[in-house]
Amino acid sequence: MAKKPLGVDSMGIQKTMRFSDYLADCGGQFALNSMSGLISAIMYFYTDKAGVAAATAANVLLAAKICDAFTDLIMGRIMDKGKSPKGKCRPWFLRMAVPAFAATVAVFTVPKGLTGFAQIAYLFLTNIFLTGIVSTAIAIPYGAIMVMRTKSLEERNTMGIFRAAAGYVIGMIIAIALVPITNLLGPNGVADQASYIKFAAVVGFISMILLLILYKTSKETAAQEEKPDDNMPFGEAIRKLFRNKYWVIVMVTFLFVNVIYAISGASGTYYAKWILGNDNIVGLLGAVGLIPTFVGFAIVGPMTKKFGITKTLKISFLLGIGGNLVRCIFPGSLAVTLIVALFTGFSTIPMMCLGGTLNSMAMDYNDYLYHNKIIGMSSSATSFGTKVASGLGASLIGWILAAAHYDASASAATASVRLGIYSFSIYLPLIMTIGMYLMICRFDLEGKYPEIMAEIAARNEAEKAAQTE
């Protein structure tokens, strides 16, 4: 039976994506967020399960994340120069499927008895293997393939929503289930290293399967009419990106939101254990967080159609700012924490859904300015900044705990430890959300976008006509 024609979107651009394509595509985000989610939660594993000093763990995580960020730039160039008949992006999903499983397990398999430099080396190398090699070799092509698969802004929005939903599902599974499940798997109801390894193995295996499905179904169907990115020198590409103010705005907004993601992923267990009195409460917090998440995924599409992309983001950021201000007033109240989570949980959902679309619009503006989308470097340079931010977010927790003289074996939190936990759980997310609101207020590309795309299309047609004369 012949498939129903897809037709065109509201701008007259040919559609290329079916429902099954969106489902297969979002599996890549599941794999990426499973890696980042486990890394975000690994600080607690290091300090409370593997016996690593908080300052050591924080420094290792930041150093690994900085190296990881630089590998993004290298991966962008490697991808742009790829000559595979399957495309520039698609082959990497197959190449990294098995390594994704191995690397996910390796970060939790810290050999017992390791101390000093040997311990630091193992932590650093396994983090680099997972984030700097495997995750990077998936994330850069995965970010770029959105532009390669479709030219339709509507389809890119839908891809972003599906991706965000899949990524958030695994993120919430880790946030909600990691502590309770590892406690259940551990001896006498208390998690140990073996229980964390078992959890990582299951998540890594699922990620491997989803990457294989993504490889089989993804196609780079959108013809690229601009100059190939691999003809542009590295330095020139970077300079041009920083002269595109919209790309800079997107990058900085990604920096802020990734600091929030990193902090929220790693801080919840500390907050539940030392402020609310029981680390299993993190599961309740995560469960409540599912409500605004599902509501967010359901209404982001309608909100975008009614208000537009940037106004939708402004509304969500204002809700996040208000929620964190309330938490500043009642930091130790479980009831307030749960209620406010409905608003702060929603505040980042639109950015999760629409961030890829913002980046693709910035790439199209590159085309408008330079006759070149600069796809590979746009994706890798943005990822460079966001990975530094996520590493900084996770490391900030370790540094603050170290400064507060955190003792995992203490019977109660000291005043300085409580202040430190408030700082990275409430105050820093508030500052970052204000920063995102201020940045998105400067993103006025959306109103200019139809005119810009029409001018690009007219220019391309004129160039084609000149070549045939």
Side-chain angles (χ1 to χ4, degrees):
M1 182 177 178
K3 292 184 178 180
K4 182 180 178 181
L6 291 170
V8 297
D9 66 10
S10 60
M11 294 179 62
I13 299 174
Q14 177 63 48
K15 294 183 178 181
T16 62
M17 303 284 291
R18 299 183 184 275
F19 182 75
S20 59
D21 294 320
Y22 292 124
L23 285 179
D25 175 78
C26 72
Q29 196 68 57
F30 182 101
L32 288 170
N33 280 39
S34 70
M35 299 178 203
S36 62
L38 289 173
I39 288 296
S40 294
I42 207 167
M43 174 67 76
Y44 181 72
F45 168 78
Y46 282 158
T47 58
D48 288 47
K49 305 302 175 183
V52 180
T56 298
N59 292 332
V60 167
L61 288 174
L62 180 61
K65 189 60 70 175
I66 291 174
C67 292
D68 170 24
F70 280 100
T71 64
D72 283 357
L73 301 178
I74 297 171
M75 184 62 206
R77 299 302 292 171
I78 293 174
M79 189 196 78
D80 281 338
K81 292 179 179 293
K83 304 297 183 183
S84 170
K86 299 293 185 181
K88 290 185 176 182
C89 304
R90 183 184 176 195
W92 292 100
F93 307 140
L94 174 63
R95 294 166 185 166
M96 291 296 111
V98 174
F101 170 76
T104 300
V105 175
V107 291
F108 291 96
T109 316
V110 182
K112 295 185 182 298
L114 278 186
T115 58
F117 178 77
Q119 183 188 70
I120 293 173
Y122 185 87
L123 300 181
F124 179 77
L125 292 175
T126 51
N127 270 273
I128 284 294
F129 179 38
L130 178 63
T131 63
I133 298 176
V134 177
S135 179
T136 293
I138 298 169
I140 302 305
Y142 188 64
I145 204 170
M146 177 180 285
V147 180
M148 308 283 274
R149 292 196 74 172
T150 177
K151 294 181 180 180
S152 168
L153 202 59
E154 291 181 11
E155 289 191 315
R156 292 177 190 174
N157 282 341
T158 305
M159 289 176 73
I161 293 172
F162 270 77
R163 288 182 176 193
Y168 208 84
V169 165
I170 181 58
M172 292 306 296
I173 287 174
I174 292 174
I176 294 172
L178 180 60
V179 171
I181 289 180
T182 52
N183 281 340
L184 184 64
L185 294 173
N188 301 317
V190 179
D192 60 2
Q193 183 175 7
S195 59
Y196 273 81
I197 293 173
K198 293 173 185 175
F199 186 94
V202 172
V203 172
F205 181 78
I206 296 172
S207 297
M208 178 180 69
I209 298 301
L210 292 176
L211 287 170
L212 293 173
I213 294 173
L214 176 62
Y215 166 75
K216 184 167 181 63
T217 58
S218 60
K219 297 177 182 178
E220 300 175 21
T221 55
Q224 300 301 311
E225 298 174 348
E226 70 278 359
K227 291 195 316 180
D229 292 347
D230 53 5
N231 288 339
M232 183 177 291
F234 176 85
E236 181 183 354
I238 292 295
R239 286 192 298 272
K240 287 185 173 180
L241 287 177
F242 276 95
R243 287 199 295 266
N244 177 350
K245 73 172 185 177
Y246 300 112
W247 180 85
V248 173
I249 289 171
V250 173
M251 182 188 70
V252 174
T253 306
F254 271 131
L255 292 179
F256 289 145
V257 78
N258 274 275
V259 170
I260 293 176
Y261 291 158
I263 289 174
S264 62
S267 66
T269 306
Y270 290 106
Y271 201 90
K273 180 177 180 180
W274 298 108
I275 305 302
L276 302 177
N278 186 338
D279 61 0
N280 282 312
I281 292 178
V282 72
L284 175 61
L285 295 175
V288 171
L290 288 175
I291 299 173
T293 299
F294 291 137
V295 170
F297 290 139
I299 69 174
V300 165
M303 283 183 69
T304 303
K305 290 181 179 179
K306 182 176 178 59
F307 301 116
I309 295 173
T310 53
K311 192 170 183 180
T312 296
L313 292 171
K314 290 177 186 178
I315 293 170
S316 68
F317 295 153
L318 286 174
L319 289 174
I321 292 169
N324 279 307
L325 286 174
V326 172
R327 286 191 73 193
C328 289
I329 301 172
F330 306 101
S333 169
L334 174 60
V336 170
T337 300
L338 293 174
I339 294 171
V340 167
L342 299 175
F343 299 96
T344 56
F346 174 80
S347 65
T348 57
I349 300 301
M351 185 62 194
M352 291 174 62
C353 296
L354 303 173
T357 303
L358 291 178
N359 203 27
S360 71
M361 292 170 69
M363 292 182 196
D364 288 328
Y365 195 69
N366 284 334
D367 194 7
Y368 175 73
L369 292 176
Y370 312 123
H371 296 213
N372 193 323
K373 291 183 187 288
I374 320 179
I375 294 174
M377 287 306 298
S378 291
S379 180
S380 63
T382 301
S383 183
F384 171 89
T386 55
K387 283 187 175 180
V388 170
S390 62
L392 179 61
S395 296
L396 278 170
I397 293 176
W399 292 331
I400 291 172
L401 290 175
H405 305 290
Y406 174 72
D407 180 3
S409 63
S411 59
T414 63
S416 61
V417 168
R418 292 175 71 88
L419 178 60
I421 294 174
Y422 292 150
S423 296
F424 58 66
S425 299
I426 303 173
Y427 308 149
L428 284 175
L430 172 60
I431 293 170
M432 296 295 103
T433 308
I434 292 172
M436 290 191 294
Y437 177 81
L438 295 176
M439 292 308 301
I440 212 64
C441 284
R442 299 178 58 83
F443 193 91
D444 60 352
L445 178 59
E446 186 176 4
K448 306 174 183 178
Y449 192 76
E451 180 181 347
I452 287 173
M453 293 304 293
E455 185 170 335
I456 291 173
R459 184 184 66 201
N460 289 339
E461 288 298 322
E463 290 176 354
K464 284 182 180 179
Q467 291 173 0
T468 57
E469 291 180 355

